[in-house]
Amino acid sequence: MWTAIVILLVAWAVLAIVGFVFEGLLWLAVIGIVLFIGTLVVGILRQRVRPSV
C-alpha cells in the first residue's frame, strides 16, 4: 500500500514542478499540489485506521 502512495506522491510532485517551470502550466502545479496533499492525507488516515498486526 505504501509503495503505491509513494509513487503517487512522486508523480504529483513532478506535476507540480513542471507546472511551476512552465508559466503557462501554472494550473498543472495547482492540481499537482492538491493531489499531493490529498494523497498524503489519505495515506496517513488509512494507516491510523488500520490496526497494527
Side-chain angles (χ1 to χ4, degrees):
M1 177 66 184
W2 276 105
T3 305
I5 290 175
V6 170
I7 290 171
L8 285 173
L9 289 173
V10 170
W12 305 147
V14 168
L15 282 177
I17 291 169
V18 168
F20 282 122
V21 169
F22 299 105
E23 292 179 18
L25 297 177
L26 188 59
W27 58 271
L28 190 61
V30 173
I31 291 172
I33 290 170
V34 169
L35 290 174
F36 183 89
I37 293 170
T39 303
L40 191 62
V41 168
V42 168
I44 290 171
L45 290 177
R46 283 193 172 200
Q47 181 181 5
R48 288 186 180 184
V49 171
R50 174 181 267 171
S52 299
V53 175

